[in-house]
Amino acid sequence: MTISYRPTAPPSACFMTYLLMQYTLFAAICGFFPPIAASSVLLRGGITDAQWNELNSTVNGRLFYASPLARPCYSLAQGVAGDFNTATCESVMDNYTNRDYRVNVFAAYMNTEWETCQSTSSQCLLNDADPQDTLAFSPPSVCEQGSIPSYYIDVRSPSDVQSAFSFARITGINLAIKSTGHDYIGRSSAPDSLGIWIHNLQSLAYDADFVPSACPPSSGDPAITFESGVLQERLFEFAEANHVTFPGGSSTSIAAAGGYLQGGGHSAISNVFGLAVDRVLQAKVVTPRGDYLTANRCQNTDLFFALRGGGGSTFGVVMEVTMKALPRITLTTAVATFNGTDERMESILQFMISHSLFYAQRGWGGYMLPRQSIIFTDPILEIEEAADDMAELQAFLDSLADSTSTFSLTVIPSFLSFFNEFLASSVPVGVPSITSSRLIPVDNFATNTERGKLLDAVMEVFRDSSFPIVFAVAPFLYNQTEETSVTDAWRRSLWHITSSASWSFNTTTDTKIRAYQGLTKKMDTLRDITPGSGAYQNEADIHEPNFEASFWGNNYERLVAIKRKYDPDHLLDCWHCVDWKGAKDPKYKCYI
């Protein structure tokens, strides 16, 4: 079997690496290795070398083995590509929890449990608490493939994706779509699969008067068109350079057109300007049938509906998206910091619960880490009005017996500045971390009784959480005018609450199972007091009860029909996605 190899990191990074390191080190960091026998790394199932070679030729030599990120550190390996290399290992150890480094490696995920087969503990990890810990990879530890796809295509055009779908239809191989691996559900990894890597689709353009294709001539909207590998941070910078605003999430590792967008997409200012799906004007997508389609309000409208909230890795591979750009805005921002003991956390939550409806009505949104900080911002208030709104919060913080607490109110000149100052380094990567979530309806804030129940439930969820967050990001003030497929619970809520759990690189399977079970049980406390609500699918519990209703509400059956229309052979499937095959399917053998 002959496969050619090219770097998977950006050319400039690989070029600099080449200048500094010998070939083998360069090859390992950039994600490619000398050819090895297919049988040593790949799935069984009758796929011949000739078939792989034909696929590789069809995609112009951009079919690669997917070697685990930590492979160079392991002297013992089984069923993986790559080589033991101490120099490369040093680089991996130095960058193991670096977002930019991980984003540019296909086999690296932001949460490392999705690099592993959790059910068998097959993995190839470093100690994320101390990546320099050599005991993590010294014998008898063995590097194994885990749930990382065996091969991947470095996609550069729609025809590459069409080739992947054709190959899957002929061979029956599972597919996994991946951009950056910012994925809490594991939808972008799968054992014994073929990866579709869209990270290197990087073009973007601004149009001050965009009219969707096939729509009648009319006055258009200012819009940014971008390919699916473009990171949000780059879009924030591009928008600022063009004197417009492009809101987004709270991490530098999010690709704006991927699961983030297709699952809904929230931001600190979505209270006023809506979810990401509310601003989509057009998408270009390769469907599993092999068609390259444009979807908008004027053509393929059912697919357009599905892509705006129906979830990633389900209806096709999105190649390009056009989203409405907002005018250049300033953000009046309140920041509070404190030392959140359990007792103090309860007081802070009680205050915020009692004031959250007022804050939402006034345009405030943002994030609360109840053990350490509150970051709320408002894109519509002048600072004098904002100061009046926040006077009670400032007085409350002054009343806390906490000499370390601080409060500030400032005007931030742009969304990019807001992101860089408060969010760019907020989410850890290169660690195992699981999450569970719930959307909290307005009704739960309506009376003293309901607020009391909510406080008790939130405290129960947060007490043992490794990373509790209140996202005040529901589109409460936004005037929705077009259909999307996210659950309607988003439109009836004020808060999106997440709770997390984590473990060590060498935690046993039984302990991981207990962590999942404990997180689900804790979140039941909030589920019990929010009947008829739901959860944000991108940050949901792996074992979300009644996920169909929770993620999509009354839209689910309609989405199933659309799924079956555009993917009649069911080539795409992912965990708790629309019309999925179920947990017993071999694709999910690594879930626990």
Side-chain angles (χ1 to χ4, degrees):
M1 176 177 179
T2 303
I3 297 179
S4 58
Y5 298 89
R6 290 178 58 193
T8 57
S12 59
C14 282
F15 181 68
M16 290 304 296
T17 305
Y18 178 76
L19 293 178
L20 294 172
M21 301 177 183
Q22 60 184 343
Y23 174 81
T24 54
L25 175 56
F26 166 67
I29 286 180
C30 293
F32 65 97
F33 298 88
I36 61 176
S39 60
S40 68
V41 294
L42 256 191
L43 38 111
R44 311 300 185 259
I47 302 177
T48 66
D49 285 359
Q51 288 174 305
W52 286 114
N53 286 330
E54 182 180 359
L55 174 62
N56 188 40
S57 176
T58 303
V59 298
N60 298 310
R62 282 179 277 99
L63 174 66
F64 301 97
Y65 296 121
S67 180
L69 177 65
R71 169 65 186 96
C73 296
Y74 282 76
S75 60
L76 299 180
Q78 180 177 344
V80 299
D83 299 300
F84 172 64
N85 186 298
T86 55
T88 309
C89 178
E90 289 290 339
S91 178
V92 173
M93 290 191 293
D94 290 343
N95 293 281
Y96 194 69
T97 57
N98 181 289
R99 288 176 188 81
D100 295 337
Y101 189 85
R102 283 185 165 270
V103 160
N104 288 307
V105 178
F106 171 80
Y109 290 75
M110 299 303 111
N111 293 330
T112 55
E113 69 268 24
W114 302 118
E115 298 174 22
T116 76
C117 188
Q118 297 175 70
S119 61
T120 65
S121 295
S122 167
Q123 62 183 43
C124 191
L125 302 179
L126 300 187
N127 179 357
D128 54 273
D130 178 13
Q132 305 294 326
D133 176 14
T134 59
L135 293 177
F137 51 81
S138 298
S141 295
V142 178
C143 176
E144 297 179 300
Q145 193 74 7
S147 63
I148 299 168
S150 302
Y151 284 144
Y152 68 95
I153 297 170
D154 180 5
V155 171
R156 302 301 175 104
S157 70
S159 65
D160 293 338
V161 179
Q162 290 166 331
S163 295
F165 282 136
S166 177
F167 187 78
R169 187 176 295 106
I170 293 168
T171 65
I173 193 172
N174 286 321
L175 299 172
I177 305 169
K178 180 180 185 285
S179 181
T180 66
H182 184 105
D183 176 7
Y184 292 98
I185 310 296
R187 292 171 173 172
S188 56
S189 70
D192 304 333
S193 67
L194 172 63
I196 298 174
W197 198 35
I198 56 176
H199 170 65
N200 287 312
L201 300 174
Q202 290 290 331
S203 72
L204 71 170
Y206 174 67
D207 186 339
D209 191 30
F210 178 82
V211 177
S213 176
C215 287
S218 63
S219 58
D221 294 295
I224 297 176
T225 298
F226 53 95
E227 287 189 309
S228 292
V230 177
L231 299 181
Q232 285 190 144
E233 186 175 21
R234 186 174 170 218
L235 278 165
F236 302 157
E237 295 167 348
F238 183 77
E240 181 148 321
N242 284 278
H243 310 292
V244 293
T245 298
F246 188 97
S250 57
S251 172
T252 57
S253 62
I254 297 173
Y260 166 82
L261 171 64
Q262 294 167 59
H266 59 69
S267 76
I269 55 176
S270 49
N271 176 28
V272 174
F273 293 112
L275 300 171
V277 290
D278 293 316
R279 293 181 290 107
V280 178
L281 300 175
Q282 181 168 285
K284 294 185 177 180
V285 56
V286 179
T287 72
R289 295 185 310 192
D291 301 317
Y292 184 40
L293 301 178
T294 298
N296 55 40
R297 60 183 171 82
C298 302
Q299 59 180 318
N300 299 308
T301 54
D302 55 351
L303 183 59
F304 189 51
F305 168 79
L307 294 173
R308 298 172 73 189
S313 299
T314 302
F315 303 96
V317 177
V318 172
M319 304 295 290
E320 175 187 292
V321 170
T322 301
M323 293 182 67
K324 184 176 181 179
L326 305 175
R328 181 71 177 266
I329 57 174
T330 59
L331 298 172
T332 305
T333 303
V335 179
T337 64
F338 41 81
N339 181 13
T341 62
D342 274 3
E343 182 179 351
R344 193 170 290 134
M345 178 169 68
E346 184 168 7
S347 297
I348 291 165
L349 284 167
Q350 183 177 34
F351 178 90
M352 293 302 290
I353 288 171
S354 66
H355 287 74
S356 280
L357 180 56
F358 168 74
Y359 288 152
Q361 290 168 335
R362 297 283 289 168
W364 291 97
Y367 314 98
M368 177 168 54
L369 282 66
R371 291 197 182 104
Q372 62 190 72
S373 63
I374 298 169
I375 303 171
F376 265 37
T377 193
D378 196 308
I380 57 179
L381 292 181
E382 299 294 334
I383 193 165
E384 294 81 10
E385 296 175 286
D388 290 340
D389 285 0
M390 288 292 155
E392 286 190 46
L393 175 59
Q394 185 172 6
F396 169 75
L397 291 170
D398 290 342
S399 72
L400 294 176
D402 177 11
S403 60
T404 66
S405 66
T406 66
F407 178 84
S408 64
L409 184 68
T410 56
V411 177
I412 307 299
S414 67
F415 188 86
L416 173 64
S417 299
F418 173 81
F419 177 83
N420 286 338
E421 185 166 350
F422 301 114
L423 304 179
S425 301
S426 61
V427 181
V429 302
V431 299
S433 178
I434 61 175
T435 191
S436 184
S437 69
R438 192 68 176 171
L439 294 168
I440 311 301
V442 177
D443 291 348
N444 291 84
F445 299 84
T447 66
N448 286 335
T449 299
E450 292 302 316
R451 289 192 289 268
K453 292 178 182 177
L454 178 58
L455 176 62
D456 291 343
V458 173
M459 283 299 297
E460 176 64 22
V461 169
F462 280 178
R463 274 194 182 94
D464 299 318
S465 174
S466 63
F467 197 47
I469 310 177
V470 174
F471 293 85
V473 296
F476 178 77
L477 278 188
Y478 178 72
N479 181 26
Q480 182 190 13
T481 58
E482 291 192 20
E483 260 190 326
T484 67
S485 48
V486 297
T487 173
D488 186 59
W490 268 114
R491 316 292 176 182
R492 297 180 277 106
S493 295
L494 290 185
W495 283 4
H496 156 53
I497 283 181
T498 66
S499 181
S500 303
S502 59
W503 50 72
S504 301
F505 75 101
N506 58 355
T507 296
T508 65
T509 298
D510 286 345
T511 301
K512 295 173 188 177
I513 291 172
R514 287 194 294 271
Y516 277 111
Q517 292 173 339
L519 204 58
T520 301
K521 184 177 180 181
K522 285 274 188 180
M523 195 55 68
D524 282 341
T525 311
L526 279 173
R527 294 184 184 108
D528 289 344
I529 67 165
T530 57
S533 186
Y536 177 38
Q537 60 176 295
N538 288 343
E539 295 164 353
D541 195 319
I542 289 294
H543 301 292
E544 178 70 23
N546 193 19
F547 75 91
E548 299 94 338
S550 183
F551 298 164
W552 297 290
N554 294 330
N555 294 321
Y556 184 71
E557 292 304 324
R558 181 178 174 189
L559 288 169
V560 169
I562 298 169
K563 165 70 173 176
R564 294 177 181 177
K565 173 182 175 181
Y566 289 97
D567 187 8
D569 299 318
H570 212 113
L571 300 182
L572 291 178
D573 200 77
C574 53
W575 185 269
H576 278 190
C577 291
V578 170
D579 201 31
W580 77 317
K581 295 178 181 178
K584 294 183 179 180
D585 188 84
K587 185 175 185 178
Y588 309 113
K589 64 183 181 182
C590 288
Y591 281 77
I592 54 176

